[in-house]
Amino acid sequence: MSNLDQQLRQRAYDEVKKHRREVEVDPYRLAYHVMPPVGLLNDPNGFIQFNGAYHLFYQWNPFKTDHGAKFWGHYSSRDLVHWEHHEIALAPSDWFDKNGCYSGSAIEHENKLYLFYTGNVKDEANNRETYQVMAVSDDGQQFEKKGVVINLPEGYTPHFRDPKVWKHGEHFYLIIGAQAEDLTGKAVLFCSDNLQEWEHLGPIAGAHMGPLNDFGYMWECPDLFELDGQDVLIFSPQGLEPSGIYYQNLYQAGYVIGKMDYEKVQYEHGLFIELDRGFEFYAPQTTVDEKGRRILIGWLGMPEEREDAHPTIEHKWIHSMTIPRQLKGINGKIYQQPVTELQELRTNHCAYENVELTTKAQGFEGIEGEALEIYLETLETVTQPIKIHIRNHANIVYHPTDKLVKLDRISYVDGKTVEERFCHLQQLTNLRIYLDTSSIEVFVNDGEEVFSARIYPKQEDQGISFAADGSERVKIEAWTLKSR
């Protein structure tokens, strides 16, 4: 480890100690989500199960609550519920990553953990260079950088980053989010026999390729994997224009489903579907665990979009991860479901088996507070709008006539404006809501649709109420969730 590396790490640790008290007293500090100890957290990186533990690395700026030279922070967990924070995995200390150890992934090979990430370099005129870098660890804790393994190929701008690596058959593959020289987003594939020497196979998907035409100027954080017999490409395109109720955030995160032909280096796929219909969700990454589950964690944030307005900034931190979600392929669509391990957080269960919702909003004993899991199941075909009012700050509404689900919230920018996000839904059968101190994640119809958002209610507003425009019968359960 170089002197500069040691100095950067020590500065980061000093920053954590300096602001620990400010962070801890923030009433919006989350109860059971992964957060930074101080500073800014963004993309999940290197998500993997290694030596019996789940490792989750993350983009981290410990020095301020906006973007800058990123470290790789590091959490691990035995159960996806209780997370332990570790020493910094990567620091921006070398010529190839001096302006940031940007996003990447991990793979286990010969009982070692390999990290692949993008080294970001900028000159005084803010011109960018990017390098794909490898680091190796024997124990999953201490990492040695092995240097650059992929330089920028011809045909792309320096917006070339976020390597995701996996093994298929006898070969290793790596996919990178890129911008072609014609300023269109691409997903670019590489192949290797040894993880060190990589062959550029070219783009397998992108704007003006296949069914995606004018589809963004940059694709970030690609992730290609097999799910229930089909090949799924998750990515985060930048530059999509809003279209009706779709693409309403500054940037999007979603997927296409198809079939990857590794011999011909061809990927035929369908249209893009958003993974999350909420306000804050970006740069998701997946892994397969020893149980064979494909698990996703996303950044419960949005780059560059009103980040300076989050109220946590005055307490020297910003952003979190989503809860872990298991992915399933059902009828040509990805369903997301909270991992079953999260049930360990449950306490103080209450159930109301046959509730008639009416125009008069009803609260129920035991369904209130800051950290809750709420489950609502409809007992008959819904014909009237159903509304759940959350902590005097947010609403979940199903409109059966319009066949729309809506999540709205009071804007954290001005504390007044009501913001809305929607998805189409033929019929509502159930809702599962994970509510935390300053976040909400809504799983509709067993994860057919999902909404994720940060919310900042007043501390004294603890109530949850339920109503319908007419008469609708439902079952409601709830659990208080313990802090991790």
Side-chain angles (χ1 to χ4, degrees):
M1 187 182 297
S2 68
N3 288 335
L4 177 58
D5 195 291
Q6 291 176 333
Q7 291 171 10
L8 287 171
R9 290 168 184 263
Q10 189 58 53
R11 283 183 57 206
Y13 298 143
D14 290 344
E15 200 72 11
V16 172
K17 293 178 182 177
K18 178 181 177 182
H19 296 295
R20 177 174 293 155
R21 180 59 181 164
E22 292 175 80
V23 170
E24 289 176 349
V25 299
D26 185 1
Y28 292 127
R29 198 74 172 153
L30 292 152
Y32 55 90
H33 285 76
V34 169
M35 303 167 289
V38 70
L40 177 142
L41 168 151
N42 58 300
D43 303 0
N45 296 156
F47 184 31
I48 192 170
Q49 191 175 28
F50 176 71
N51 287 346
Y54 296 92
H55 292 262
L56 177 64
F57 304 87
Y58 64 94
Q59 291 285 277
W60 185 29
N61 183 356
F63 304 119
K64 53 186 178 179
T65 55
D66 54 15
H67 297 274
K70 299 294 177 61
F71 294 70
W72 271 37
H74 183 194
Y75 279 97
S76 74
S77 173
R78 293 283 173 179
D79 59 5
L80 293 171
V81 178
H82 305 92
W83 294 89
E84 178 184 359
H85 201 256
H86 298 286
E87 292 184 14
I88 291 166
L90 300 172
S93 58
D94 288 88
W95 67 266
F96 47 74
D97 62 13
K98 67 178 183 178
N99 295 107
C101 298
Y102 276 18
S103 291
S105 59
I107 190 171
E108 180 179 357
H109 178 55
E110 296 180 343
N111 299 317
K112 294 183 179 182
L113 186 59
Y114 287 75
L115 304 183
F116 290 83
Y117 69 97
T118 299
N120 184 50
V121 177
K122 292 183 179 180
D123 62 19
E124 293 181 356
N126 211 35
N127 297 308
R128 183 191 301 267
E129 298 175 4
T130 52
Y131 305 92
Q132 310 313 314
V133 185
M134 183 176 74
V136 184
S137 174
D138 292 321
D139 61 3
Q141 299 295 331
Q142 303 296 322
F143 292 87
E144 179 183 359
K145 295 178 185 177
K146 297 297 186 180
V148 177
V149 293
I150 297 176
N151 287 287
L152 180 66
E154 293 184 2
Y156 306 98
T157 77
H159 290 285
F160 193 83
R161 53 183 174 264
D162 312 332
K164 180 69 193 297
V165 62
W166 72 99
K167 191 174 186 181
H168 177 81
E170 298 299 316
H171 303 288
F172 298 100
Y173 290 88
L174 182 150
I175 193 164
I176 288 180
Q179 181 184 69
E181 288 181 340
D182 64 0
L183 304 186
T184 59
K186 296 288 187 287
V188 184
L189 192 66
F190 290 77
C191 181
S192 174
D193 293 326
N194 56 17
L195 291 174
Q196 299 183 50
E197 298 165 317
W198 292 89
E199 178 186 1
H200 174 215
L201 301 180
I204 61 165
H208 305 300
M209 295 179 65
L212 303 181
N213 295 315
D214 186 12
F215 214 76
Y217 58 78
M218 173 64 193
W219 286 15
E220 291 194 310
C221 303
D223 190 351
L224 181 65
F225 54 89
E226 189 272 334
L227 183 69
D228 297 320
Q230 295 184 296
D231 295 306
V232 177
L233 175 64
I234 288 177
F235 61 101
S236 297
Q238 298 181 332
L240 302 187
E241 293 296 324
S243 177
I245 64 172
Y246 301 109
Y247 313 153
Q248 289 297 311
N249 294 329
L250 179 60
Y251 303 129
Q252 319 309 318
Y255 64 95
V256 294
I257 295 178
K259 194 65 179 177
M260 179 67 200
D261 188 327
Y262 285 87
E263 296 296 325
K264 296 180 180 179
V265 193
Q266 293 179 352
Y267 179 55
E268 296 183 1
H269 61 81
L271 295 175
F272 180 80
I273 301 174
E274 290 177 272
L275 268 168
D276 195 291
R277 310 296 185 172
F279 297 90
E280 281 88 27
F281 180 87
Y282 197 71
Q285 188 170 108
T286 74
T287 193
V288 171
D289 69 0
E290 60 190 18
K291 299 177 182 178
R293 299 179 299 178
R294 177 65 61 171
I295 300 173
L296 175 147
I297 290 181
W299 172 27
L300 193 49
M302 183 61 58
E304 304 170 24
E305 188 171 47
R306 308 181 302 177
E307 288 184 314
D308 59 349
H310 282 270
T312 63
I313 286 177
E314 65 179 280
H315 292 278
K316 308 300 183 184
W317 74 281
I318 186 172
H319 296 315
S320 74
M321 297 299 180
T322 67
I323 58 173
R325 307 167 180 184
Q326 182 178 355
L327 303 186
K328 297 182 179 180
I330 301 175
N331 298 326
K333 192 171 185 178
I334 289 181
Y335 281 55
Q336 303 172 68
Q337 298 171 353
V339 294
T340 57
E341 288 91 335
L342 291 170
Q343 295 175 16
E344 295 180 23
L345 293 170
R346 291 174 174 175
T347 185
N348 300 330
H349 175 243
C350 62
Y352 298 87
E353 297 293 338
N354 191 348
V355 174
E356 182 183 3
L357 300 183
T358 65
T359 55
K360 182 179 180 180
Q362 303 175 65
F364 299 90
E365 184 177 355
I367 308 181
E368 59 183 9
E370 295 180 331
L372 297 168
E373 177 188 349
I374 302 169
Y375 178 73
L376 180 147
E377 180 181 342
T378 62
L379 300 179
E380 54 194 16
T381 300
V382 178
T383 60
Q384 302 293 329
I386 290 177
K387 177 179 179 180
I388 305 174
H389 185 56
I390 298 168
R391 299 190 61 193
N392 203 29
H393 189 84
N395 296 286
I396 302 164
V397 184
Y398 174 59
H399 294 276
T401 302
D402 298 331
K403 299 191 182 304
L404 290 174
V405 178
K406 178 182 72 169
L407 172 67
D408 69 43
R409 70 175 179 191
I410 297 174
S411 170
Y412 58 78
V413 177
D414 61 14
K416 299 177 182 178
T417 305
V418 176
E419 304 172 320
E420 300 176 326
R421 292 290 184 268
F422 297 87
C423 76
H424 290 291
L425 192 74
Q426 283 297 113
Q427 180 60 224
L428 177 68
T429 59
N430 61 69
L431 292 168
R432 190 174 299 276
I433 303 164
Y434 275 80
L435 183 65
D436 205 341
T437 315
S438 58
S439 72
I440 184 170
E441 292 165 80
V442 183
F443 298 83
V444 184
N445 287 2
D446 299 316
E448 178 184 355
E449 298 285 355
V450 184
F451 292 80
S452 300
R454 297 302 301 276
I455 59 173
Y456 299 102
K458 295 179 181 178
Q459 279 187 279
E460 59 268 26
D461 288 333
Q462 301 278 308
I464 316 291
S465 64
F466 303 79
D469 279 3
S471 175
E472 297 291 342
R473 294 199 171 274
V474 300
K475 171 185 175 181
I476 304 173
E477 287 186 272
W479 298 262
T480 302
L481 299 182
K482 299 176 291 187
S483 297
R484 63 176 179 83

